[in-house]
């Protein structure tokens, strides 16, 4: 297959590109490089040992999207491009709807015109909002809290409607829990822009001496050690799920009658902030100082996935444990200190 990856130089997109290439498919990549760097394209090619076709493009440029899709001759789309920070989305919802929704409409409209019927969408457990039941299954209510979460739910809804309207269209939304880690080669990983919002990128910057101390957001939750529990999952496991998803949409062996489906990607196991910190200390062999501060507004106490549907429908299971995830994240952080410093 020839597969179009939007957001190809981003965190999940770059890991997925490596796995798609390893599975023998060709990659046509798009990224506007607004939150990633072109070096990552070369890192993908070095890791996979193969070249990709790359276009620098903002998906809000409808004519540009049309032009690429008219000539790319692709069989399927993995759609990763988008913004992903809750706080930023609350402050600037227009930007989030424009970058996440308008961009997706442009992409899907061009895909429709050119008969590209197989779509896999990068969604998030954030669509469940404050999960009412645990573990979170795909039947849990869709109730996003932030503008960011709402944009993910809107695009999922659009895909479902599109599948309903057109018999040939099949779409799968993959709802990631908390992706961490990096490719074991140390060549690709997450390069945080500015101060990291997420736990593990922040912890790694404390381990490397870029930041002094980790602030743990609250230790008075109703959990065994008082800190929040999340379902951390290795980014390479997430990436591999996309290769299986490509096959599944191709065979139309999932989802509802209309050809739309959504799957949770998590390990099914929760870890507290302090457990993650201990795993990072073990993986980095650095002390990683921390102090406890007030809760972060909007944080739920406990969220973890029921990943059984992904196991049943794709044959996918997360393979990596927490210490391996932290060790791989650290390996990338150490190898790329210079690139990370320039993005800070
Ligand atoms: C966040 C987003 C979620 C997004 C996900 C991507 C919010 C509210 N949610 O999830 O929409 O899909 O990232 O991975 O932003 N923590 C600290 N100190 C820190 C940073 C985090 O104690 O400096 C704690 C948080 O309180 C949380 C846990 O670590 O309990 C994980 O936080 P984070 O990595 O930001 O992920 P989520 O909040 O689960």
């Amino acid at each position: 297959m020839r597969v179009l990856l939007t957001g190809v130089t981003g965190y999940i997109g770059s890991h997925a590109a490596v796995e798609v290439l390893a599975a023998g498919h060709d990659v046509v990549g798009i990224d506007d490089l607004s939150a990633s760097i072109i070096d990552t394209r070369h890192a993908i090619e070095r890791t996979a040992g193969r070249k990709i076709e790359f276009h620098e493009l903002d998906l809000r440029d409808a004519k540009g999207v049309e032009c690429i899709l008219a000539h790319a001759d692709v069989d399927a789309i993995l759609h990763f491009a988008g913004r992903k920070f809750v706080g930023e989305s609350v402050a600037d919802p227009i930007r989030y709807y424009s970058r996440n929704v308008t961009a997706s409409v442009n992409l899907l409209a061009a895909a429709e015109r050119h008969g590209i019927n197989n779509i896999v969408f990068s969604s998030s457990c954030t669509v469940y909002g404050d999960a009412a039941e645990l573990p979170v299954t795909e039947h849990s209510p869709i109730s996003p809290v932030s503008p960011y979460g709402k944009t993910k739910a809107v695009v999922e809804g659009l895909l479902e409607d599109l599948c309903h309207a057109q018999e040939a269209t099949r779409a799968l939304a993959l709802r990631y829990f908390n992706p961490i880690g990096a490719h074991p080669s140390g060549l690709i990983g997450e390069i945080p822009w500015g101060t990291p919002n997420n736990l593990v990128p922040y912890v790694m910057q404390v381990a490397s001496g870029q930041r002094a101390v980790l602030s743990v957001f609250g230790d008075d939750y109703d959990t065994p050690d008082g800190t929040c529990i999340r379902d951390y999952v290795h980014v390479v496991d997430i990436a591999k799920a996309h290769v299986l998803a490509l096959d599944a949409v191709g065979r139309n062996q999932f989802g509802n009658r209309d050809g739309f489906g959504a799957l949770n990607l998590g390990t099914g196991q929760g870890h507290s902030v302090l457990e993650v910190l201990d795993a990072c200390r073990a993986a980095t062999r650095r002390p990683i100082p921390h102090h406890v501060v007030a809760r972060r507004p909007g944080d739920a106490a406990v969220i973890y996935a029921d990943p059984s549907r992904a196991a049943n429908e794709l044959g996918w299971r997360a393979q990596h444990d927490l210490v391996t995830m932290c060790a791989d994240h650290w390996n990338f952080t150490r190898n790329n200190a210079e690139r990370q410093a320039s993005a800070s």
Side-chain angles (χ1 to χ4, degrees), residues 84 86-87 124-126 148 176-179 197-200 202 214-217 228-230 232 273 296-300:
K84 64 168 185 181
V86 171
S124 163
C125 68
T126 198
Y148 160 64
Y176 316 146
F177 279 65
N178 289 60
N197 288 272
N198 296 120
L199 177 64
V200 172
Y202 200 103
L214 171 75
S215 295
V216 172
F217 299 144
C228 294
I229 292 177
R230 295 288 183 275
Y232 297 91
V273 174
R296 182 170 70 179
D299 274 344

PDB file of all heavy atoms in Angstrom, residues 84 86-87 124-126 148 176-179 197-200 202 214-217 228-230 232 273 296-300, ligand 1:
ATOM      1  N   LYS A  84      -2.487  19.310  20.542  1.00  0.00           N
ATOM      2  CA  LYS A  84      -2.895  18.339  21.570  1.00  0.00           C
ATOM      3  C   LYS A  84      -2.809  18.833  23.009  1.00  0.00           C
ATOM      4  O   LYS A  84      -2.784  18.007  23.930  1.00  0.00           O
ATOM      5  CB  LYS A  84      -2.066  17.076  21.423  1.00  0.00           C
ATOM      6  CG  LYS A  84      -0.589  17.287  21.683  1.00  0.00           C
ATOM      7  CD  LYS A  84       0.147  15.960  21.807  1.00  0.00           C
ATOM      8  CE  LYS A  84       1.599  16.175  22.185  1.00  0.00           C
ATOM      9  NZ  LYS A  84       2.370  14.955  22.311  1.00  0.00           N
ATOM     10  N   VAL A  86      -4.378  20.587  26.271  1.00  0.00           N
ATOM     11  CA  VAL A  86      -5.651  20.989  26.865  1.00  0.00           C
ATOM     12  C   VAL A  86      -5.636  22.473  27.237  1.00  0.00           C
ATOM     13  O   VAL A  86      -6.536  23.225  26.856  1.00  0.00           O
ATOM     14  CB  VAL A  86      -5.941  20.123  28.114  1.00  0.00           C
ATOM     15  CG1 VAL A  86      -7.134  20.662  28.885  1.00  0.00           C
ATOM     16  CG2 VAL A  86      -6.190  18.683  27.696  1.00  0.00           C
ATOM     17  N   GLY A  87      -4.602  22.906  27.960  1.00  0.00           N
ATOM     18  CA  GLY A  87      -4.551  24.290  28.446  1.00  0.00           C
ATOM     19  C   GLY A  87      -4.587  25.283  27.290  1.00  0.00           C
ATOM     20  O   GLY A  87      -5.343  26.269  27.301  1.00  0.00           O
ATOM     21  N   SER A 124      -8.134  10.208  21.088  1.00  0.00           N
ATOM     22  CA  SER A 124      -7.544  10.241  22.429  1.00  0.00           C
ATOM     23  C   SER A 124      -8.578   9.835  23.459  1.00  0.00           C
ATOM     24  O   SER A 124      -9.789  10.059  23.280  1.00  0.00           O
ATOM     25  CB  SER A 124      -7.073  11.674  22.703  1.00  0.00           C
ATOM     26  OG  SER A 124      -6.849  11.868  24.078  1.00  0.00           O
ATOM     27  N   CYS A 125      -8.098   9.293  24.579  1.00  0.00           N
ATOM     28  CA  CYS A 125      -9.005   8.971  25.688  1.00  0.00           C
ATOM     29  C   CYS A 125      -9.645  10.236  26.250  1.00  0.00           C
ATOM     30  O   CYS A 125     -10.596  10.159  27.022  1.00  0.00           O
ATOM     31  CB  CYS A 125      -8.259   8.229  26.780  1.00  0.00           C
ATOM     32  SG  CYS A 125      -7.041   9.223  27.648  1.00  0.00           S
ATOM     33  N   THR A 126      -9.135  11.395  25.832  1.00  0.00           N
ATOM     34  CA  THR A 126      -9.705  12.659  26.281  1.00  0.00           C
ATOM     35  C   THR A 126     -11.165  12.791  25.832  1.00  0.00           C
ATOM     36  O   THR A 126     -11.922  13.555  26.428  1.00  0.00           O
ATOM     37  CB  THR A 126      -8.819  13.828  25.782  1.00  0.00           C
ATOM     38  OG1 THR A 126      -9.113  14.984  26.547  1.00  0.00           O
ATOM     39  CG2 THR A 126      -9.009  14.126  24.314  1.00  0.00           C
ATOM     40  N   TYR A 148      -9.925  20.945  23.221  1.00  0.00           N
ATOM     41  CA  TYR A 148      -9.099  19.940  22.545  1.00  0.00           C
ATOM     42  C   TYR A 148      -9.869  18.619  22.417  1.00  0.00           C
ATOM     43  O   TYR A 148      -9.982  18.038  21.326  1.00  0.00           O
ATOM     44  CB  TYR A 148      -7.791  19.731  23.328  1.00  0.00           C
ATOM     45  CG  TYR A 148      -7.093  18.430  23.024  1.00  0.00           C
ATOM     46  CD1 TYR A 148      -6.592  18.166  21.761  1.00  0.00           C
ATOM     47  CD2 TYR A 148      -6.955  17.446  24.008  1.00  0.00           C
ATOM     48  CE1 TYR A 148      -5.962  16.959  21.485  1.00  0.00           C
ATOM     49  CE2 TYR A 148      -6.335  16.245  23.744  1.00  0.00           C
ATOM     50  CZ  TYR A 148      -5.838  15.994  22.485  1.00  0.00           C
ATOM     51  OH  TYR A 148      -5.228  14.804  22.208  1.00  0.00           O
ATOM     52  N   TYR A 176      -5.927   6.916  22.040  1.00  0.00           N
ATOM     53  CA  TYR A 176      -4.715   6.653  22.814  1.00  0.00           C
ATOM     54  C   TYR A 176      -4.934   7.059  24.262  1.00  0.00           C
ATOM     55  O   TYR A 176      -5.494   8.116  24.527  1.00  0.00           O
ATOM     56  CB  TYR A 176      -3.523   7.469  22.314  1.00  0.00           C
ATOM     57  CG  TYR A 176      -3.331   7.534  20.815  1.00  0.00           C
ATOM     58  CD1 TYR A 176      -2.828   8.696  20.231  1.00  0.00           C
ATOM     59  CD2 TYR A 176      -3.615   6.448  19.988  1.00  0.00           C
ATOM     60  CE1 TYR A 176      -2.629   8.791  18.873  1.00  0.00           C
ATOM     61  CE2 TYR A 176      -3.415   6.540  18.617  1.00  0.00           C
ATOM     62  CZ  TYR A 176      -2.927   7.708  18.060  1.00  0.00           C
ATOM     63  OH  TYR A 176      -2.733   7.803  16.717  1.00  0.00           O
ATOM     64  N   PHE A 177      -4.388   6.268  25.169  1.00  0.00           N
ATOM     65  CA  PHE A 177      -4.364   6.695  26.566  1.00  0.00           C
ATOM     66  C   PHE A 177      -3.117   7.581  26.753  1.00  0.00           C
ATOM     67  O   PHE A 177      -3.047   8.618  26.116  1.00  0.00           O
ATOM     68  CB  PHE A 177      -4.544   5.483  27.496  1.00  0.00           C
ATOM     69  CG  PHE A 177      -6.023   5.158  27.575  1.00  0.00           C
ATOM     70  CD1 PHE A 177      -6.726   4.720  26.449  1.00  0.00           C
ATOM     71  CD2 PHE A 177      -6.744   5.406  28.729  1.00  0.00           C
ATOM     72  CE1 PHE A 177      -8.102   4.525  26.478  1.00  0.00           C
ATOM     73  CE2 PHE A 177      -8.127   5.204  28.769  1.00  0.00           C
ATOM     74  CZ  PHE A 177      -8.802   4.761  27.646  1.00  0.00           C
ATOM     75  N   ASN A 178      -2.124   7.226  27.533  1.00  0.00           N
ATOM     76  CA  ASN A 178      -0.997   8.161  27.727  1.00  0.00           C
ATOM     77  C   ASN A 178       0.269   7.623  27.061  1.00  0.00           C
ATOM     78  O   ASN A 178       1.017   6.858  27.687  1.00  0.00           O
ATOM     79  CB  ASN A 178      -0.752   8.382  29.224  1.00  0.00           C
ATOM     80  CG  ASN A 178      -1.850   9.200  29.877  1.00  0.00           C
ATOM     81  OD1 ASN A 178      -3.020   8.805  29.876  1.00  0.00           O
ATOM     82  ND2 ASN A 178      -1.506  10.347  30.408  1.00  0.00           N
ATOM     83  N   PRO A 179       0.507   8.003  25.807  1.00  0.00           N
ATOM     84  CA  PRO A 179       1.694   7.479  25.120  1.00  0.00           C
ATOM     85  C   PRO A 179       2.977   8.096  25.689  1.00  0.00           C
ATOM     86  O   PRO A 179       3.065   9.315  25.868  1.00  0.00           O
ATOM     87  CB  PRO A 179       1.513   7.949  23.663  1.00  0.00           C
ATOM     88  CG  PRO A 179       0.127   8.492  23.569  1.00  0.00           C
ATOM     89  CD  PRO A 179      -0.278   8.895  24.942  1.00  0.00           C
ATOM     90  N   ASN A 197       4.079  19.880  29.062  1.00  0.00           N
ATOM     91  CA  ASN A 197       2.825  19.792  29.806  1.00  0.00           C
ATOM     92  C   ASN A 197       2.644  18.413  30.426  1.00  0.00           C
ATOM     93  O   ASN A 197       1.988  18.269  31.433  1.00  0.00           O
ATOM     94  CB  ASN A 197       1.637  20.020  28.864  1.00  0.00           C
ATOM     95  CG  ASN A 197       1.527  21.455  28.438  1.00  0.00           C
ATOM     96  OD1 ASN A 197       0.901  22.259  29.111  1.00  0.00           O
ATOM     97  ND2 ASN A 197       2.173  21.802  27.332  1.00  0.00           N
ATOM     98  N   ASN A 198       3.194  17.416  29.772  1.00  0.00           N
ATOM     99  CA  ASN A 198       2.943  16.038  30.193  1.00  0.00           C
ATOM    100  C   ASN A 198       4.017  15.553  31.172  1.00  0.00           C
ATOM    101  O   ASN A 198       5.133  16.061  31.200  1.00  0.00           O
ATOM    102  CB  ASN A 198       2.882  15.111  28.973  1.00  0.00           C
ATOM    103  CG  ASN A 198       1.717  15.461  28.059  1.00  0.00           C
ATOM    104  OD1 ASN A 198       1.904  15.782  26.898  1.00  0.00           O
ATOM    105  ND2 ASN A 198       0.515  15.429  28.586  1.00  0.00           N
ATOM    106  N   LEU A 199       3.606  14.558  31.942  1.00  0.00           N
ATOM    107  CA  LEU A 199       4.442  14.121  33.068  1.00  0.00           C
ATOM    108  C   LEU A 199       5.840  13.627  32.647  1.00  0.00           C
ATOM    109  O   LEU A 199       6.854  14.135  33.137  1.00  0.00           O
ATOM    110  CB  LEU A 199       3.698  13.012  33.836  1.00  0.00           C
ATOM    111  CG  LEU A 199       4.460  12.396  34.996  1.00  0.00           C
ATOM    112  CD1 LEU A 199       4.739  13.427  36.087  1.00  0.00           C
ATOM    113  CD2 LEU A 199       3.685  11.203  35.580  1.00  0.00           C
ATOM    114  N   VAL A 200       5.880  12.614  31.788  1.00  0.00           N
ATOM    115  CA  VAL A 200       7.173  11.969  31.538  1.00  0.00           C
ATOM    116  C   VAL A 200       8.168  12.906  30.832  1.00  0.00           C
ATOM    117  O   VAL A 200       9.339  12.968  31.227  1.00  0.00           O
ATOM    118  CB  VAL A 200       6.986  10.612  30.818  1.00  0.00           C
ATOM    119  CG1 VAL A 200       8.311  10.024  30.370  1.00  0.00           C
ATOM    120  CG2 VAL A 200       6.267   9.654  31.763  1.00  0.00           C
ATOM    121  N   TYR A 202       8.425  16.012  31.226  1.00  0.00           N
ATOM    122  CA  TYR A 202       8.905  16.930  32.281  1.00  0.00           C
ATOM    123  C   TYR A 202       9.908  16.203  33.184  1.00  0.00           C
ATOM    124  O   TYR A 202      10.996  16.723  33.469  1.00  0.00           O
ATOM    125  CB  TYR A 202       7.720  17.455  33.114  1.00  0.00           C
ATOM    126  CG  TYR A 202       8.075  18.726  33.846  1.00  0.00           C
ATOM    127  CD1 TYR A 202       7.635  19.972  33.391  1.00  0.00           C
ATOM    128  CD2 TYR A 202       8.895  18.701  34.979  1.00  0.00           C
ATOM    129  CE1 TYR A 202       7.996  21.139  34.042  1.00  0.00           C
ATOM    130  CE2 TYR A 202       9.262  19.860  35.636  1.00  0.00           C
ATOM    131  CZ  TYR A 202       8.805  21.081  35.164  1.00  0.00           C
ATOM    132  OH  TYR A 202       9.167  22.238  35.803  1.00  0.00           O
ATOM    133  N   LEU A 214      10.483  18.292  39.804  1.00  0.00           N
ATOM    134  CA  LEU A 214       9.139  17.971  39.295  1.00  0.00           C
ATOM    135  C   LEU A 214       8.095  18.421  40.317  1.00  0.00           C
ATOM    136  O   LEU A 214       8.227  18.116  41.508  1.00  0.00           O
ATOM    137  CB  LEU A 214       8.995  16.457  39.095  1.00  0.00           C
ATOM    138  CG  LEU A 214       7.544  16.028  38.781  1.00  0.00           C
ATOM    139  CD1 LEU A 214       7.160  16.380  37.353  1.00  0.00           C
ATOM    140  CD2 LEU A 214       7.322  14.558  39.074  1.00  0.00           C
ATOM    141  N   SER A 215       7.073  19.126  39.848  1.00  0.00           N
ATOM    142  CA  SER A 215       5.927  19.424  40.701  1.00  0.00           C
ATOM    143  C   SER A 215       4.904  18.308  40.507  1.00  0.00           C
ATOM    144  O   SER A 215       4.427  18.087  39.389  1.00  0.00           O
ATOM    145  CB  SER A 215       5.294  20.759  40.297  1.00  0.00           C
ATOM    146  OG  SER A 215       6.207  21.811  40.527  1.00  0.00           O
ATOM    147  N   VAL A 216       4.603  17.601  41.576  1.00  0.00           N
ATOM    148  CA  VAL A 216       3.550  16.577  41.530  1.00  0.00           C
ATOM    149  C   VAL A 216       2.234  17.272  41.865  1.00  0.00           C
ATOM    150  O   VAL A 216       2.098  17.876  42.933  1.00  0.00           O
ATOM    151  CB  VAL A 216       3.847  15.446  42.537  1.00  0.00           C
ATOM    152  CG1 VAL A 216       2.667  14.487  42.628  1.00  0.00           C
ATOM    153  CG2 VAL A 216       5.119  14.713  42.152  1.00  0.00           C
ATOM    154  N   PHE A 217       1.297  17.181  40.921  1.00  0.00           N
ATOM    155  CA  PHE A 217       0.041  17.934  41.067  1.00  0.00           C
ATOM    156  C   PHE A 217      -0.949  17.205  41.975  1.00  0.00           C
ATOM    157  O   PHE A 217      -1.895  16.573  41.510  1.00  0.00           O
ATOM    158  CB  PHE A 217      -0.591  18.182  39.695  1.00  0.00           C
ATOM    159  CG  PHE A 217       0.268  18.999  38.758  1.00  0.00           C
ATOM    160  CD1 PHE A 217       0.272  18.732  37.392  1.00  0.00           C
ATOM    161  CD2 PHE A 217       1.068  20.046  39.232  1.00  0.00           C
ATOM    162  CE1 PHE A 217       1.056  19.490  36.514  1.00  0.00           C
ATOM    163  CE2 PHE A 217       1.854  20.798  38.364  1.00  0.00           C
ATOM    164  CZ  PHE A 217       1.858  20.523  37.009  1.00  0.00           C
ATOM    165  N   CYS A 228      -2.476  10.807  41.095  1.00  0.00           N
ATOM    166  CA  CYS A 228      -3.376  10.355  40.019  1.00  0.00           C
ATOM    167  C   CYS A 228      -2.841   9.122  39.300  1.00  0.00           C
ATOM    168  O   CYS A 228      -1.624   8.956  39.160  1.00  0.00           O
ATOM    169  CB  CYS A 228      -3.537  11.452  38.968  1.00  0.00           C
ATOM    170  SG  CYS A 228      -4.364  12.901  39.553  1.00  0.00           S
ATOM    171  N   ILE A 229      -3.759   8.343  38.813  1.00  0.00           N
ATOM    172  CA  ILE A 229      -3.408   7.103  38.105  1.00  0.00           C
ATOM    173  C   ILE A 229      -3.807   7.220  36.630  1.00  0.00           C
ATOM    174  O   ILE A 229      -4.914   7.657  36.309  1.00  0.00           O
ATOM    175  CB  ILE A 229      -4.104   5.907  38.787  1.00  0.00           C
ATOM    176  CG1 ILE A 229      -3.466   5.707  40.171  1.00  0.00           C
ATOM    177  CG2 ILE A 229      -4.024   4.657  37.926  1.00  0.00           C
ATOM    178  CD1 ILE A 229      -4.096   4.613  40.995  1.00  0.00           C
ATOM    179  N   ARG A 230      -2.858   6.842  35.751  1.00  0.00           N
ATOM    180  CA  ARG A 230      -3.098   6.885  34.304  1.00  0.00           C
ATOM    181  C   ARG A 230      -2.601   5.584  33.669  1.00  0.00           C
ATOM    182  O   ARG A 230      -1.802   4.860  34.257  1.00  0.00           O
ATOM    183  CB  ARG A 230      -2.314   8.055  33.650  1.00  0.00           C
ATOM    184  CG  ARG A 230      -2.760   9.436  34.086  1.00  0.00           C
ATOM    185  CD  ARG A 230      -4.119   9.793  33.489  1.00  0.00           C
ATOM    186  NE  ARG A 230      -4.525  11.138  33.850  1.00  0.00           N
ATOM    187  CZ  ARG A 230      -5.160  11.456  34.989  1.00  0.00           C
ATOM    188  NH1 ARG A 230      -5.434  10.523  35.888  1.00  0.00           N
ATOM    189  NH2 ARG A 230      -5.512  12.698  35.236  1.00  0.00           N
ATOM    190  N   TYR A 232      -0.271   4.402  31.039  1.00  0.00           N
ATOM    191  CA  TYR A 232       0.848   4.789  30.167  1.00  0.00           C
ATOM    192  C   TYR A 232       1.145   3.646  29.204  1.00  0.00           C
ATOM    193  O   TYR A 232       1.208   2.484  29.611  1.00  0.00           O
ATOM    194  CB  TYR A 232       2.085   5.123  31.022  1.00  0.00           C
ATOM    195  CG  TYR A 232       1.825   6.307  31.929  1.00  0.00           C
ATOM    196  CD1 TYR A 232       1.338   6.121  33.227  1.00  0.00           C
ATOM    197  CD2 TYR A 232       2.009   7.610  31.473  1.00  0.00           C
ATOM    198  CE1 TYR A 232       1.049   7.209  34.051  1.00  0.00           C
ATOM    199  CE2 TYR A 232       1.723   8.701  32.286  1.00  0.00           C
ATOM    200  CZ  TYR A 232       1.248   8.496  33.573  1.00  0.00           C
ATOM    201  OH  TYR A 232       0.955   9.574  34.377  1.00  0.00           O
ATOM    202  N   VAL A 273       1.396   8.731  39.680  1.00  0.00           N
ATOM    203  CA  VAL A 273       2.502   9.656  39.362  1.00  0.00           C
ATOM    204  C   VAL A 273       3.770   9.214  40.101  1.00  0.00           C
ATOM    205  O   VAL A 273       4.869   9.192  39.517  1.00  0.00           O
ATOM    206  CB  VAL A 273       2.124  11.108  39.751  1.00  0.00           C
ATOM    207  CG1 VAL A 273       3.314  12.047  39.556  1.00  0.00           C
ATOM    208  CG2 VAL A 273       0.928  11.596  38.938  1.00  0.00           C
ATOM    209  N   ARG A 296      -3.832  19.969  39.733  1.00  0.00           N
ATOM    210  CA  ARG A 296      -4.009  20.696  38.467  1.00  0.00           C
ATOM    211  C   ARG A 296      -5.502  20.675  38.135  1.00  0.00           C
ATOM    212  O   ARG A 296      -6.100  19.577  38.086  1.00  0.00           O
ATOM    213  CB  ARG A 296      -3.203  20.001  37.362  1.00  0.00           C
ATOM    214  CG  ARG A 296      -3.266  20.706  36.015  1.00  0.00           C
ATOM    215  CD  ARG A 296      -2.267  20.115  35.026  1.00  0.00           C
ATOM    216  NE  ARG A 296      -2.609  18.769  34.579  1.00  0.00           N
ATOM    217  CZ  ARG A 296      -1.907  18.065  33.705  1.00  0.00           C
ATOM    218  NH1 ARG A 296      -0.791  18.582  33.181  1.00  0.00           N
ATOM    219  NH2 ARG A 296      -2.270  16.851  33.357  1.00  0.00           N
ATOM    220  N   PRO A 297      -6.084  21.844  37.893  1.00  0.00           N
ATOM    221  CA  PRO A 297      -7.526  21.851  37.605  1.00  0.00           C
ATOM    222  C   PRO A 297      -7.847  20.929  36.428  1.00  0.00           C
ATOM    223  O   PRO A 297      -7.110  20.905  35.442  1.00  0.00           O
ATOM    224  CB  PRO A 297      -7.822  23.308  37.239  1.00  0.00           C
ATOM    225  CG  PRO A 297      -6.693  24.094  37.813  1.00  0.00           C
ATOM    226  CD  PRO A 297      -5.500  23.192  37.831  1.00  0.00           C
ATOM    227  N   GLY A 298      -8.931  20.191  36.559  1.00  0.00           N
ATOM    228  CA  GLY A 298      -9.374  19.340  35.442  1.00  0.00           C
ATOM    229  C   GLY A 298      -8.819  17.925  35.466  1.00  0.00           C
ATOM    230  O   GLY A 298      -9.246  17.093  34.669  1.00  0.00           O
ATOM    231  N   ASP A 299      -7.860  17.622  36.349  1.00  0.00           N
ATOM    232  CA  ASP A 299      -7.308  16.262  36.375  1.00  0.00           C
ATOM    233  C   ASP A 299      -8.272  15.298  37.052  1.00  0.00           C
ATOM    234  O   ASP A 299      -8.725  15.544  38.167  1.00  0.00           O
ATOM    235  CB  ASP A 299      -5.981  16.232  37.148  1.00  0.00           C
ATOM    236  CG  ASP A 299      -4.794  16.566  36.273  1.00  0.00           C
ATOM    237  OD1 ASP A 299      -4.929  16.523  35.027  1.00  0.00           O
ATOM    238  OD2 ASP A 299      -3.721  16.867  36.828  1.00  0.00           O
ATOM    239  N   ALA A 300      -8.571  14.180  36.388  1.00  0.00           N
ATOM    240  CA  ALA A 300      -9.357  13.121  37.018  1.00  0.00           C
ATOM    241  C   ALA A 300      -8.412  12.276  37.873  1.00  0.00           C
ATOM    242  O   ALA A 300      -7.219  12.173  37.574  1.00  0.00           O
ATOM    243  CB  ALA A 300     -10.011  12.275  35.950  1.00  0.00           C
TER     244      ALA A 300
HETATM  245  C1  LIG B   1      -3.003  14.868  29.124  1.00  0.00           C
HETATM  246  C2  LIG B   1      -4.201  15.593  28.598  1.00  0.00           C
HETATM  247  C3  LIG B   1      -4.932  14.661  27.667  1.00  0.00           C
HETATM  248  C4  LIG B   1      -4.008  14.189  26.552  1.00  0.00           C
HETATM  249  C5  LIG B   1      -2.810  13.507  27.189  1.00  0.00           C
HETATM  250  C6  LIG B   1      -1.785  13.137  26.133  1.00  0.00           C
HETATM  251  C7  LIG B   1      -4.841  17.188  30.334  1.00  0.00           C
HETATM  252  C8  LIG B   1      -5.833  17.530  31.412  1.00  0.00           C
HETATM  253  N1  LIG B   1      -5.042  16.014  29.698  1.00  0.00           N
HETATM  254  O1  LIG B   1      -3.476  13.767  29.893  1.00  0.00           O
HETATM  255  O2  LIG B   1      -6.033  15.331  27.123  1.00  0.00           O
HETATM  256  O3  LIG B   1      -4.682  13.286  25.720  1.00  0.00           O
HETATM  257  O4  LIG B   1      -2.187  14.408  28.095  1.00  0.00           O
HETATM  258  O5  LIG B   1      -0.847  12.278  26.661  1.00  0.00           O
HETATM  259  O6  LIG B   1      -3.942  17.957  30.058  1.00  0.00           O
HETATM  260  N2  LIG B   1       1.530  15.538  36.387  1.00  0.00           N
HETATM  261  C9  LIG B   1       2.257  16.026  37.450  1.00  0.00           C
HETATM  262  N3  LIG B   1       3.231  16.954  37.191  1.00  0.00           N
HETATM  263  C10 LIG B   1       3.501  17.411  35.930  1.00  0.00           C
HETATM  264  C11 LIG B   1       2.746  16.902  34.839  1.00  0.00           C
HETATM  265  C12 LIG B   1       1.758  15.967  35.125  1.00  0.00           C
HETATM  266  O7  LIG B   1       2.038  15.641  38.607  1.00  0.00           O
HETATM  267  O8  LIG B   1       4.383  18.262  35.771  1.00  0.00           O
HETATM  268  C13 LIG B   1       0.490  14.525  36.646  1.00  0.00           C
HETATM  269  C14 LIG B   1      -0.900  14.968  36.227  1.00  0.00           C
HETATM  270  O9  LIG B   1      -1.566  15.595  37.304  1.00  0.00           O
HETATM  271  C15 LIG B   1      -1.537  13.633  35.832  1.00  0.00           C
HETATM  272  C16 LIG B   1      -0.372  12.750  35.401  1.00  0.00           C
HETATM  273  O10 LIG B   1       0.809  13.396  35.867  1.00  0.00           O
HETATM  274  O11 LIG B   1      -2.102  13.047  36.986  1.00  0.00           O
HETATM  275  C17 LIG B   1      -0.294  12.633  33.887  1.00  0.00           C
HETATM  276  O12 LIG B   1      -0.345  13.928  33.332  1.00  0.00           O
HETATM  277  P1  LIG B   1      -0.164  14.203  31.770  1.00  0.00           P
HETATM  278  O13 LIG B   1       1.077  13.541  31.292  1.00  0.00           O
HETATM  279  O14 LIG B   1      -0.303  15.665  31.553  1.00  0.00           O
HETATM  280  O15 LIG B   1      -1.356  13.384  31.111  1.00  0.00           O
HETATM  281  P2  LIG B   1      -2.953  13.512  31.331  1.00  0.00           P
HETATM  282  O16 LIG B   1      -3.295  14.646  32.194  1.00  0.00           O
HETATM  283  O17 LIG B   1      -3.457  12.172  31.713  1.00  0.00           O
END
